[in-house]
Amino acid sequence: MVLNWIKIFIYHLKQNKLFSFLNVLGLSIGIAGLIFAILYWNDEQSYNAWNPEKESIFQVVNDQPRSGFLAYNVIPLGKTLKQNSTEVESYCNFQPGYNGALIVYKDKKEVVQKILKSEGNFFFFFPFQFTNGSAKTALKNKNNVAISEQTAELLFGSENPMGESIKIGEMNCVVGGVYKISEKSSVTPSVVLREEFEENVKKNVENWQSHTSFLVIKLKNPERKEAIEKQILNIYIEKQAKKAAKEKGISTEDYIKNFGLDKPYLESLETARLHSKVVNGYPEGSGNYQFLLIMLGLSIFILILSIVNYINLATANAIKRAKEVGVRKIIGAAKSQIVFQFVLETVITTSFAVLFALVIVELFLPYYNQFLSKELVMYSGQFYIQLLLVFIITVLFAGIFPAIYISNFEVLSVLKGNFSRSKKGIWLRNSMLIMQFAIASFFIIGSYIVFQQVNFMINKELGFKGNQVLNINFNEPKKPKDFDMIQNELLKIKGVEKVSAGNFSFGYGGYFSSVFAYKGKDVEVDNMSMEFGMLDLMNIKIVEGRDISPKFASDTISSVLVNQSAVKMMGEKNPIGKEFDIRDDGENPGIRRLKIVGIVQNFNVYGPQKEIPPMLFYHLKTISESSFLSRLYVKINPRNSEETISEIEKFWTKKIDTRYPFSYDFVDKNFARTYSDYISQRNLFSLLNIVVILIALFGLFCLASFSIERRMKEIAIRKTLGAETNVLLKELSKQYIVFCIIGFLITLFPTYYLLNKWLENFAYRIEISIYPFLIGYIVLQSLTLLVVLSRAHQATRMNVLKYLKYE
């Protein structure tokens, strides 16, 4: 019996080759899209899943009243919390982010970028598997360093690295262990260098205002998380608020009311990747949970569209098989047997679709990985279970509806030949066609709005010009006194127009922030320390007052600039000449009195999707905490730029940085990376939009063909009675126009709501106007008419005798 069903299925495939191919292709694209989303989902969910301590480890995150959420913490917090709480088992401070450094072993030199400085118990929180040594002894001594297997192979080859001396930057270290990272983790250092935070940074041990490290704690009972948060808050009140209130001569309550206080949160390592309150709470960064949901949701939409397509075509094609079903019922076939037969056909079709989808994924996975900057693979037990689940769901939804519909055919109506005039089942096809139009409308409108927002960011006036400006990072920071020599030598190179330096990066902001009191309020600013001429080089405008200049001796002592955002926060109408005090925690700690000499026009420093923060600009020598050179900015002439860069490299590697390879980036390209994720979202939405339109058009073409073919005799009679072609075209297409309008109206509110939620991610955004909806409707209706009218016009040119010769 089953073999007979398969033979019948193959016969119908041969009879409807084009429609069968389009049906399988539509399902394949829908399943492939969902597979891509599942692979991305699995990868993001796998972060830290291997860590047996993930549920007990928490990172301390602070909600600062001025800056928002920060992962940075004051160094003495861990020790103080451990002393005051029996719930805290242990704690570990480690440096925010990785550092790059030159590592030297005998005659071998390698630049390693992912070097992490941490306290000695790092591997108790991230228990990577050790191939040499152990977590207990790897960082036992102050000069110990632990290295990954890849780093060990890079430096030592087949030699045993244990106990060997290596030089990291200027530090002499001894290898205490080799570890292996085989799973996804929020921290994946190539080198872990032991650092005694409380010992090496003694000036910060009792400084409860300077947030300079990441802190993770291990709780004995994770359910006591909220109680620990309250304990940390009490510590902040005691150590931060009371001390600051005493300095200001006010009560602790008034200080908290007027100036605010850090509010601590404990974020579990288990959920840190996708649900952290901060963007870069760990060195490996955070996942984009919203983007992940968008991808998964859109992929599910596409699969739904593919299944709807299949159901529509299956029910439409059922008319041709009505007599087959009627005869089978007459000779004794049970309703369940007919259902099983058509479900079996769906199983076979879906099996082909899944195989084709896997081929599509295998072909396009390298491009998908490049798109997401991932290394996704399809081979895992979890993935195959999910794929089986997708298969079962597809079969259930795509097979059950048509099978039940067909099994309910009335025998007498079928055998009398009246079934084709029956309206039974038409409501199902029509409602699903409307759903197709609704989904297609959402994608067309959404794609246009995403395109508008991303283009708005790209074309937004940034307040600076970074084209043809090289951003050169000092691997080993220099002193301000070295700048004059570097500048003079670079200006001798043909093509170099201007040279300056700054301790900040366009796209990622400054390295420090400060808080100063002004007229009874705390003003938090990003510290933008720089050399003379920096603002002029980047074409950043001074809207009031003057720039700092070597002509004024005070400009390396007390003169500063503020941007318009800082002026607004200060609440000062005439800030020029005003003074304020600021704390300097550098080599010469103390209070500095600074004087405002100019106001800088607001410019984007963190990316156009974020608000412009208050900024404080001053010369590198003004505040000792910032008295070093970290980045050099060189404006070059676009003519013969390759030769100019080559000459800069020769000078750099001979006189400035003899140990590291020369590297640079253009400021505008570096800045563009800050919104590259949103460009990816735009491209993804555009790609999925094309896929959705194609699937919808496949279905519309097939459904229109079946519908028109069913009405061929009616068309022949109308033509015989003198109906004109335009009248026939109108009659054949009007129902699709109505369905298109209904589908478009259904999707209006969900589209507006969801896209408006997406736009809330941006500090600078477009307002949703009526134009995307008008354009979406016009495009959808135009495509619908193109498909339907082309098929209808072909039908009106048929030979009427072919359909009327038996009448």
Side-chain angles (χ1 to χ4, degrees):
M1 183 172 63
V2 173
L3 184 62
N4 185 51
W5 291 350
I6 294 174
K7 288 180 179 179
I8 294 171
F9 174 64
I10 294 172
Y11 170 78
H12 284 289
L13 282 181
K14 291 179 179 179
Q15 294 297 110
N16 301 281
K17 294 185 181 69
L18 176 61
F19 295 150
S20 299
F21 171 75
L22 292 178
N23 221 351
V24 173
L25 179 62
L27 269 181
S28 299
I29 293 173
I31 294 171
L34 189 56
I35 289 174
F36 279 125
I38 287 172
L39 291 175
Y40 181 30
W41 176 272
N42 289 346
D43 183 80
E44 290 295 317
Q45 295 288 344
S46 68
Y47 273 82
N48 305 310
W50 61 274
N51 194 327
E53 306 292 339
K54 61 183 179 295
E55 295 178 1
S56 302
I57 295 173
F58 294 85
Q59 184 179 36
V60 181
V61 172
N62 300 294
D63 183 5
Q64 292 194 315
R66 296 169 297 273
S67 303
F69 288 103
L70 289 177
Y72 293 81
N73 282 277
V74 292
I75 289 175
L77 176 60
K79 183 177 181 180
T80 305
L81 184 61
K82 179 73 170 63
Q83 292 172 343
N84 289 274
S85 175
T86 57
E87 296 290 338
V88 177
E89 184 177 329
S90 57
Y91 70 92
C92 178
N93 285 296
F94 59 92
Q95 191 178 43
Y98 301 121
N99 286 325
L102 181 71
I103 302 181
V104 180
Y105 171 65
K106 295 181 179 179
D107 296 330
K108 199 162 190 177
K109 298 179 180 179
E110 295 290 345
V111 176
V112 177
Q113 297 296 338
K114 297 173 70 171
I115 298 175
L116 184 73
K117 294 181 179 180
S118 171
E119 291 181 317
N121 59 345
F122 173 82
F123 292 106
F124 290 93
F125 290 83
F126 298 91
F128 300 124
Q129 180 184 348
F130 272 78
T131 55
N132 280 296
S134 68
K136 293 181 179 179
T137 60
L139 299 176
K140 184 178 180 180
N141 301 316
K142 290 182 180 181
N143 65 336
N144 274 156
V145 62
I147 59 177
S148 67
E149 274 190 333
Q150 291 81 359
T151 307
E153 185 177 349
L154 193 67
L155 292 171
F156 299 96
S158 58
E159 295 181 41
N160 183 2
M162 292 296 292
E164 295 290 344
S165 295
I166 60 176
K167 190 173 184 179
I168 302 177
E170 299 298 323
M171 296 180 61
N172 293 311
C173 305
V174 176
V175 177
V178 180
Y179 56 89
K180 178 171 67 175
I181 302 176
S182 54
E183 302 289 344
K184 299 286 184 179
S185 176
S186 290
V187 188
T188 58
S190 301
V191 174
V192 180
L193 186 62
R194 175 166 174 165
E195 178 168 324
E196 302 299 322
F197 277 75
E198 295 177 11
E199 184 177 315
N200 295 345
V201 198
K202 289 182 179 179
K203 60 189 175 186
N204 283 330
V205 170
E206 291 304 323
N207 182 357
W208 286 83
Q209 299 295 332
S210 182
H211 297 72
T212 57
S213 75
F214 284 174
L215 173 66
V216 288
I217 61 175
K218 187 183 293 186
L219 300 185
K220 296 177 181 177
N221 182 4
E223 295 181 1
R224 296 281 296 164
K225 178 177 77 77
E226 293 183 1
I228 304 301
E229 289 173 346
K230 291 179 181 178
Q231 286 184 344
I232 297 174
L233 183 61
N234 290 332
I235 291 173
Y236 285 163
I237 293 172
E238 184 69 28
K239 298 291 187 178
Q240 287 182 346
K242 284 187 177 181
K243 182 178 179 181
K246 186 177 180 181
E247 290 176 355
K248 294 179 181 295
I250 59 177
S251 67
T252 303
E253 292 75 15
D254 287 340
Y255 175 85
I256 295 174
K257 181 180 179 181
N258 296 329
F259 300 101
L261 185 70
D262 289 359
K263 185 177 181 181
Y265 289 91
L266 296 185
E267 290 191 343
S268 171
L269 180 63
E270 186 177 24
T271 59
R273 174 68 182 180
L274 291 174
H275 302 286
S276 177
K277 294 180 182 292
V278 290
V279 177
N280 292 310
Y282 285 96
E284 290 298 319
S286 303
N288 191 331
Y289 187 62
Q290 185 191 60
F291 183 49
L292 181 61
L293 289 181
I294 288 172
M295 280 197 64
L296 191 62
L298 296 182
S299 300
I300 291 173
F301 265 147
I302 292 176
L303 182 60
I304 291 172
L305 188 65
S306 301
I307 292 174
V308 167
N309 237 9
Y310 184 90
I311 293 172
N312 263 345
L313 297 180
T315 54
N317 190 42
I319 296 169
K320 293 183 176 182
R321 303 182 63 176
K323 286 187 179 179
E324 172 197 333
V325 174
V327 170
R328 290 195 63 223
K329 280 191 171 185
I330 287 292
I331 61 176
K335 183 178 178 180
S336 59
Q337 289 178 315
I338 295 171
V339 170
F340 287 141
Q341 177 189 351
F342 284 94
V343 169
L344 175 65
E345 292 182 4
T346 304
V347 168
I348 297 171
T349 304
T350 306
S351 298
F352 280 116
V354 168
L355 292 174
F356 195 19
L358 290 173
V359 171
I360 294 172
V361 173
E362 188 68 34
L363 290 174
F364 289 96
L365 191 57
Y367 305 100
Y368 186 67
N369 280 332
Q370 186 178 2
F371 171 73
L372 292 174
S373 299
K374 293 279 189 181
E375 295 180 1
L376 306 179
V377 292
M378 287 193 291
Y379 312 108
S380 72
Q382 180 187 18
F383 168 72
Y384 289 118
I385 292 173
Q386 291 166 331
L387 184 62
L388 178 62
L389 187 62
V390 170
F391 174 81
I392 293 171
I393 291 173
T394 303
V395 169
L396 287 176
F397 283 94
I400 297 297
F401 283 114
I404 292 176
Y405 167 66
I406 293 169
S407 67
N408 285 327
F409 287 170
E410 295 179 7
V411 177
L412 291 179
S413 296
V414 167
L415 297 181
K416 285 180 181 179
N418 297 326
F419 181 78
S420 62
R421 294 190 291 270
S422 171
K423 294 184 178 180
K424 186 175 183 180
I426 291 179
W427 67 269
L428 178 63
R429 290 198 299 277
N430 290 348
S431 60
M432 293 204 171
L433 184 59
I434 289 170
M435 184 188 296
Q436 282 183 310
F437 281 126
I439 294 174
S441 298
F442 171 78
F443 273 89
I444 294 172
I445 298 167
S447 180
Y448 187 78
I449 292 174
V450 171
F451 181 83
Q452 277 189 315
Q453 174 61 29
V454 174
N455 277 11
F456 172 76
M457 286 196 302
I458 294 173
N459 298 317
K460 183 182 179 295
E461 181 60 44
L462 300 174
F464 69 88
K465 293 184 179 177
N467 55 314
Q468 296 303 315
V469 177
L470 301 182
N471 174 2
I472 306 172
N473 186 42
F474 286 95
N475 291 296
E476 296 174 347
K478 306 293 182 182
K479 292 292 183 181
K481 64 182 180 181
D482 300 320
F483 176 73
D484 290 339
M485 181 277 291
I486 296 172
Q487 183 184 46
N488 291 334
E489 292 296 322
L490 287 174
L491 288 174
K492 293 176 184 178
I493 297 174
K494 184 180 178 181
V496 174
E497 297 180 350
K498 296 177 182 179
V499 180
S500 191
N503 288 331
F504 54 89
S505 171
F506 291 88
Y508 302 96
Y511 300 154
F512 306 100
S513 63
S514 297
V515 179
F516 62 86
Y518 190 82
K519 290 187 176 180
K521 64 174 71 174
D522 276 4
V523 180
E524 183 164 1
V525 291
D526 277 20
N527 291 0
M528 315 293 278
S529 58
M530 61 185 183
E531 267 294 346
F532 295 122
M534 182 68 208
L535 300 181
D536 178 58
L537 184 147
M538 296 302 302
N539 203 21
I540 297 171
K541 296 178 181 179
I542 305 292
V543 294
E544 191 177 341
R546 64 173 178 85
D547 196 356
I548 56 173
S549 168
K551 297 178 182 179
F552 302 91
S554 60
D555 284 6
T556 58
I557 301 172
S558 60
S559 297
V560 297
L561 308 156
V562 292
N563 71 341
Q564 292 169 312
S565 294
V567 172
K568 183 179 179 181
M569 183 171 283
M570 292 168 65
E572 179 60 63
K573 294 182 179 179
N574 301 301
I576 302 298
K578 298 298 188 291
E579 296 181 344
F580 57 86
D581 293 332
I582 198 167
R583 182 189 296 274
D584 183 358
D585 294 316
E587 295 177 0
N588 303 305
I591 303 298
R592 300 278 185 269
R593 178 161 285 271
L594 304 177
K595 182 179 180 180
I596 299 173
V597 297
I599 301 173
V600 179
Q601 185 180 54
N602 279 346
F603 65 91
N604 289 90
V605 71
Y606 285 111
Q609 71 272 25
K610 295 185 179 180
E611 290 186 6
I612 298 172
M615 301 181 203
L616 178 69
F617 302 84
Y618 53 86
H619 191 268
L620 292 165
K621 296 178 181 178
T622 303
I623 298 179
S624 62
E625 188 177 27
S626 305
S627 60
F628 62 91
L629 290 173
S630 65
R631 291 182 183 272
L632 197 71
Y633 293 92
V634 182
K635 176 79 172 180
I636 63 173
N637 193 303
R639 295 181 182 178
N640 301 318
S641 60
E642 291 184 5
E643 294 178 12
T644 303
I645 295 171
S646 178
E647 290 298 317
I648 293 173
E649 181 177 3
K650 289 177 183 177
F651 162 72
W652 197 265
T653 53
K654 286 181 180 179
K655 294 186 178 182
I656 305 301
D657 205 337
T658 58
R659 300 200 302 165
Y660 291 83
F662 176 73
S663 63
Y664 70 91
D665 202 355
F666 284 98
V667 169
D668 54 347
K669 293 182 179 179
N670 185 57
F671 190 82
R673 295 189 187 101
T674 63
Y675 50 85
S676 59
D677 285 348
Y678 294 104
I679 292 177
S680 297
Q681 290 186 32
R682 179 197 66 183
N683 296 340
L684 173 69
F685 219 120
S686 299
L687 176 63
L688 294 181
N689 186 36
I690 294 171
V691 170
V692 165
I693 290 174
L694 286 175
I695 293 175
L697 292 182
F698 287 164
L700 185 61
F701 173 77
C702 296
L703 199 59
S705 299
F706 279 124
S707 177
I708 291 170
E709 185 176 343
R710 188 164 54 90
R711 299 177 64 181
M712 290 302 287
K713 189 175 291 186
E714 174 193 341
I715 295 169
I717 293 172
R718 285 175 176 269
K719 284 194 69 175
T720 302
L721 296 176
E724 296 181 0
T725 301
N726 61 336
V727 175
L728 290 174
L729 292 176
K730 181 180 178 181
E731 182 65 27
L732 291 171
S733 62
K734 66 180 182 181
Q735 65 171 329
Y736 297 101
I737 295 173
V738 173
F739 294 155
C740 179
I741 293 172
I742 295 172
F744 174 79
L745 292 175
I746 289 173
T747 199
L748 282 180
F749 176 75
T751 303
Y752 178 85
Y753 175 78
L754 292 173
L755 268 297
N756 199 53
K757 291 291 288 184
W758 180 76
L759 287 171
E760 289 177 2
N761 292 314
F762 305 93
Y764 304 96
R765 51 164 284 183
I766 62 170
E767 293 300 325
I768 299 178
S769 66
I770 194 174
Y771 295 108
F773 296 92
L774 289 176
I775 292 171
Y777 172 72
I778 292 170
V779 169
L780 185 64
Q781 193 66 269
S782 299
L783 291 173
T784 301
L785 290 174
L786 179 67
V787 171
V788 173
L789 290 179
S790 63
R791 188 67 187 88
H793 186 264
Q794 184 181 357
T796 59
R797 299 179 63 186
M798 53 72 170
N799 183 0
V800 296
L801 293 178
K802 178 182 177 181
Y803 292 93
L804 297 180
K805 62 184 178 181
Y806 296 113
E807 296 298 322

mmCIF file of all heavy atoms in Angstrom, residues 37-59:
data_model
loop_
_atom_site.group_PDB
_atom_site.id
_atom_site.type_symbol
_atom_site.label_atom_id
_atom_site.label_comp_id
_atom_site.label_asym_id
_atom_site.label_seq_id
_atom_site.Cartn_x
_atom_site.Cartn_y
_atom_site.Cartn_z
ATOM 1 N N ALA A 37 19.643 30.656 11.497
ATOM 2 C CA ALA A 37 19.310 31.313 12.764
ATOM 3 C C ALA A 37 19.589 30.383 13.949
ATOM 4 O O ALA A 37 20.071 30.830 15.002
ATOM 5 C CB ALA A 37 17.847 31.741 12.765
ATOM 6 N N ILE A 38 19.307 29.089 13.800
ATOM 7 C CA ILE A 38 19.543 28.120 14.877
ATOM 8 C C ILE A 38 21.033 28.012 15.171
ATOM 9 O O ILE A 38 21.454 27.952 16.339
ATOM 10 C CB ILE A 38 18.951 26.743 14.502
ATOM 11 C CG1 ILE A 38 17.418 26.780 14.583
ATOM 12 C CG2 ILE A 38 19.492 25.652 15.421
ATOM 13 C CD1 ILE A 38 16.742 25.533 14.052
ATOM 14 N N LEU A 39 21.858 27.986 14.116
ATOM 15 C CA LEU A 39 23.312 27.899 14.322
ATOM 16 C C LEU A 39 23.821 29.109 15.101
ATOM 17 O O LEU A 39 24.667 28.981 16.004
ATOM 18 C CB LEU A 39 24.022 27.812 12.967
ATOM 19 C CG LEU A 39 23.826 26.512 12.183
ATOM 20 C CD1 LEU A 39 24.480 26.619 10.809
ATOM 21 C CD2 LEU A 39 24.384 25.323 12.944
ATOM 22 N N TYR A 40 23.323 30.282 14.754
ATOM 23 C CA TYR A 40 23.718 31.507 15.449
ATOM 24 C C TYR A 40 23.241 31.464 16.906
ATOM 25 O O TYR A 40 23.985 31.802 17.831
ATOM 26 C CB TYR A 40 23.118 32.705 14.711
ATOM 27 C CG TYR A 40 23.463 34.062 15.297
ATOM 28 C CD1 TYR A 40 24.648 34.290 15.967
ATOM 29 C CD2 TYR A 40 22.572 35.126 15.157
ATOM 30 C CE1 TYR A 40 24.957 35.537 16.499
ATOM 31 C CE2 TYR A 40 22.865 36.379 15.679
ATOM 32 C CZ TYR A 40 24.057 36.575 16.353
ATOM 33 O OH TYR A 40 24.339 37.809 16.881
ATOM 34 N N TRP A 41 22.004 31.026 17.106
ATOM 35 C CA TRP A 41 21.425 30.911 18.449
ATOM 36 C C TRP A 41 22.245 29.944 19.316
ATOM 37 O O TRP A 41 22.605 30.259 20.454
ATOM 38 C CB TRP A 41 19.983 30.428 18.339
ATOM 39 C CG TRP A 41 19.320 30.183 19.656
ATOM 40 C CD1 TRP A 41 19.334 29.023 20.380
ATOM 41 C CD2 TRP A 41 18.548 31.105 20.435
ATOM 42 N NE1 TRP A 41 18.621 29.163 21.547
ATOM 43 C CE2 TRP A 41 18.126 30.434 21.607
ATOM 44 C CE3 TRP A 41 18.161 32.422 20.253
ATOM 45 C CZ2 TRP A 41 17.343 31.040 22.578
ATOM 46 C CZ3 TRP A 41 17.382 33.033 21.228
ATOM 47 C CH2 TRP A 41 16.982 32.357 22.365
ATOM 48 N N ASN A 42 22.575 28.775 18.764
ATOM 49 C CA ASN A 42 23.342 27.781 19.518
ATOM 50 C C ASN A 42 24.712 28.329 19.918
ATOM 51 O O ASN A 42 25.186 28.093 21.038
ATOM 52 C CB ASN A 42 23.529 26.511 18.681
ATOM 53 C CG ASN A 42 22.235 25.740 18.522
ATOM 54 O OD1 ASN A 42 21.263 25.991 19.225
ATOM 55 N ND2 ASN A 42 22.207 24.814 17.584
ATOM 56 N N ASP A 43 25.338 29.054 19.003
ATOM 57 C CA ASP A 43 26.665 29.588 19.285
ATOM 58 C C ASP A 43 26.621 30.595 20.439
ATOM 59 O O ASP A 43 27.441 30.531 21.354
ATOM 60 C CB ASP A 43 27.228 30.255 18.029
ATOM 61 C CG ASP A 43 28.637 30.778 18.236
ATOM 62 O OD1 ASP A 43 29.575 29.981 18.182
ATOM 63 O OD2 ASP A 43 28.785 32.002 18.467
ATOM 64 N N GLU A 44 25.660 31.503 20.402
ATOM 65 C CA GLU A 44 25.562 32.515 21.457
ATOM 66 C C GLU A 44 25.174 31.893 22.802
ATOM 67 O O GLU A 44 25.649 32.317 23.854
ATOM 68 C CB GLU A 44 24.537 33.585 21.060
ATOM 69 C CG GLU A 44 24.982 34.486 19.923
ATOM 70 C CD GLU A 44 26.175 35.341 20.302
ATOM 71 O OE1 GLU A 44 26.183 35.881 21.428
ATOM 72 O OE2 GLU A 44 27.106 35.449 19.494
ATOM 73 N N GLN A 45 24.305 30.885 22.757
ATOM 74 C CA GLN A 45 23.870 30.241 24.002
ATOM 75 C C GLN A 45 24.953 29.353 24.614
ATOM 76 O O GLN A 45 24.883 29.008 25.797
ATOM 77 C CB GLN A 45 22.613 29.394 23.742
ATOM 78 C CG GLN A 45 21.386 30.190 23.336
ATOM 79 C CD GLN A 45 20.785 30.982 24.482
ATOM 80 O OE1 GLN A 45 21.083 30.747 25.638
ATOM 81 N NE2 GLN A 45 19.923 31.939 24.167
ATOM 82 N N SER A 46 25.953 28.988 23.815
ATOM 83 C CA SER A 46 26.990 28.075 24.306
ATOM 84 C C SER A 46 28.049 28.775 25.156
ATOM 85 O O SER A 46 28.854 28.098 25.800
ATOM 86 C CB SER A 46 27.670 27.381 23.118
ATOM 87 O OG SER A 46 28.429 28.314 22.352
ATOM 88 N N TYR A 47 28.064 30.123 25.146
ATOM 89 C CA TYR A 47 29.076 30.840 25.923
ATOM 90 C C TYR A 47 28.949 30.497 27.417
ATOM 91 O O TYR A 47 27.871 30.621 27.996
ATOM 92 C CB TYR A 47 28.929 32.347 25.721
ATOM 93 C CG TYR A 47 29.693 32.845 24.515
ATOM 94 C CD1 TYR A 47 29.152 32.730 23.248
ATOM 95 C CD2 TYR A 47 30.961 33.410 24.642
ATOM 96 C CE1 TYR A 47 29.851 33.176 22.131
ATOM 97 C CE2 TYR A 47 31.656 33.863 23.531
ATOM 98 C CZ TYR A 47 31.101 33.741 22.278
ATOM 99 O OH TYR A 47 31.789 34.178 21.177
ATOM 100 N N ASN A 48 30.060 30.050 27.977
ATOM 101 C CA ASN A 48 30.198 29.743 29.412
ATOM 102 C C ASN A 48 29.412 28.512 29.859
ATOM 103 O O ASN A 48 29.397 28.202 31.057
ATOM 104 C CB ASN A 48 29.784 30.945 30.273
ATOM 105 C CG ASN A 48 30.540 32.210 29.911
ATOM 106 O OD1 ASN A 48 31.763 32.190 29.832
ATOM 107 N ND2 ASN A 48 29.819 33.300 29.672
ATOM 108 N N ALA A 49 28.756 27.825 28.915
ATOM 109 C CA ALA A 49 27.969 26.648 29.298
ATOM 110 C C ALA A 49 28.865 25.556 29.870
ATOM 111 O O ALA A 49 28.420 24.741 30.688
ATOM 112 C CB ALA A 49 27.201 26.126 28.089
ATOM 113 N N TRP A 50 30.128 25.532 29.474
ATOM 114 C CA TRP A 50 31.067 24.515 29.925
ATOM 115 C C TRP A 50 31.533 24.747 31.367
ATOM 116 O O TRP A 50 32.033 23.816 32.013
ATOM 117 C CB TRP A 50 32.316 24.549 29.026
ATOM 118 C CG TRP A 50 33.010 25.883 29.089
ATOM 119 C CD1 TRP A 50 32.718 26.984 28.349
ATOM 120 C CD2 TRP A 50 34.058 26.262 29.983
ATOM 121 N NE1 TRP A 50 33.529 28.034 28.711
ATOM 122 C CE2 TRP A 50 34.367 27.614 29.707
ATOM 123 C CE3 TRP A 50 34.777 25.600 30.980
ATOM 124 C CZ2 TRP A 50 35.348 28.302 30.408
ATOM 125 C CZ3 TRP A 50 35.760 26.285 31.666
ATOM 126 C CH2 TRP A 50 36.054 27.623 31.372
ATOM 127 N N ASN A 51 31.403 25.981 31.843
ATOM 128 C CA ASN A 51 31.971 26.360 33.136
ATOM 129 C C ASN A 51 31.120 25.804 34.281
ATOM 130 O O ASN A 51 29.963 26.201 34.442
ATOM 131 C CB ASN A 51 32.052 27.886 33.241
ATOM 132 C CG ASN A 51 32.919 28.351 34.392
ATOM 133 O OD1 ASN A 51 32.985 27.716 35.433
ATOM 134 N ND2 ASN A 51 33.574 29.490 34.210
ATOM 135 N N PRO A 52 31.660 24.902 35.091
ATOM 136 C CA PRO A 52 30.855 24.296 36.175
ATOM 137 C C PRO A 52 30.468 25.297 37.257
ATOM 138 O O PRO A 52 29.564 25.039 38.050
ATOM 139 C CB PRO A 52 31.770 23.203 36.737
ATOM 140 C CG PRO A 52 33.156 23.652 36.371
ATOM 141 C CD PRO A 52 33.028 24.368 35.068
ATOM 142 N N GLU A 53 31.160 26.452 37.287
ATOM 143 C CA GLU A 53 30.885 27.451 38.324
ATOM 144 C C GLU A 53 29.998 28.589 37.813
ATOM 145 O O GLU A 53 29.811 29.584 38.519
ATOM 146 C CB GLU A 53 32.213 28.039 38.834
ATOM 147 C CG GLU A 53 33.223 27.022 39.314
ATOM 148 C CD GLU A 53 32.777 26.329 40.587
ATOM 149 O OE1 GLU A 53 31.932 26.894 41.290
ATOM 150 O OE2 GLU A 53 33.282 25.221 40.863
ATOM 151 N N LYS A 54 29.466 28.475 36.610
ATOM 152 C CA LYS A 54 28.774 29.600 35.963
ATOM 153 C C LYS A 54 27.602 30.145 36.773
ATOM 154 O O LYS A 54 27.304 31.345 36.709
ATOM 155 C CB LYS A 54 28.309 29.199 34.569
ATOM 156 C CG LYS A 54 27.321 28.035 34.514
ATOM 157 C CD LYS A 54 26.977 27.666 33.092
ATOM 158 C CE LYS A 54 26.003 26.498 33.027
ATOM 159 N NZ LYS A 54 26.603 25.242 33.552
ATOM 160 N N GLU A 55 26.917 29.288 37.504
ATOM 161 C CA GLU A 55 25.752 29.743 38.270
ATOM 162 C C GLU A 55 26.151 30.458 39.558
ATOM 163 O O GLU A 55 25.366 31.216 40.119
ATOM 164 C CB GLU A 55 24.843 28.552 38.589
ATOM 165 C CG GLU A 55 24.226 27.911 37.353
ATOM 166 C CD GLU A 55 23.372 26.720 37.703
ATOM 167 O OE1 GLU A 55 23.246 26.416 38.908
ATOM 168 O OE2 GLU A 55 22.829 26.073 36.784
ATOM 169 N N SER A 56 27.380 30.224 40.017
ATOM 170 C CA SER A 56 27.827 30.814 41.285
ATOM 171 C C SER A 56 28.690 32.058 41.090
ATOM 172 O O SER A 56 28.936 32.787 42.041
ATOM 173 C CB SER A 56 28.624 29.775 42.092
ATOM 174 O OG SER A 56 27.836 28.635 42.336
ATOM 175 N N ILE A 57 29.172 32.268 39.857
ATOM 176 C CA ILE A 57 30.064 33.395 39.582
ATOM 177 C C ILE A 57 29.243 34.591 39.112
ATOM 178 O O ILE A 57 28.402 34.474 38.217
ATOM 179 C CB ILE A 57 31.113 33.019 38.516
ATOM 180 C CG1 ILE A 57 32.031 31.926 39.057
ATOM 181 C CG2 ILE A 57 31.931 34.239 38.108
ATOM 182 C CD1 ILE A 57 32.986 31.370 38.030
ATOM 183 N N PHE A 58 29.515 35.738 39.703
ATOM 184 C CA PHE A 58 28.794 36.963 39.353
ATOM 185 C C PHE A 58 29.797 38.101 39.133
ATOM 186 O O PHE A 58 30.809 38.204 39.841
ATOM 187 C CB PHE A 58 27.827 37.363 40.464
ATOM 188 C CG PHE A 58 26.699 36.389 40.674
ATOM 189 C CD1 PHE A 58 26.868 35.265 41.488
ATOM 190 C CD2 PHE A 58 25.476 36.577 40.057
ATOM 191 C CE1 PHE A 58 25.838 34.367 41.679
ATOM 192 C CE2 PHE A 58 24.436 35.677 40.239
ATOM 193 C CZ PHE A 58 24.621 34.569 41.054
ATOM 194 N N GLN A 59 29.492 38.919 38.163
ATOM 195 C CA GLN A 59 30.286 40.132 37.966
ATOM 196 C C GLN A 59 29.542 41.306 38.587
ATOM 197 O O GLN A 59 28.314 41.413 38.455
ATOM 198 C CB GLN A 59 30.519 40.404 36.487
ATOM 199 C CG GLN A 59 31.427 41.607 36.245
ATOM 200 C CD GLN A 59 31.681 41.853 34.774
ATOM 201 O OE1 GLN A 59 30.799 41.662 33.953
ATOM 202 N NE2 GLN A 59 32.872 42.298 34.430
#
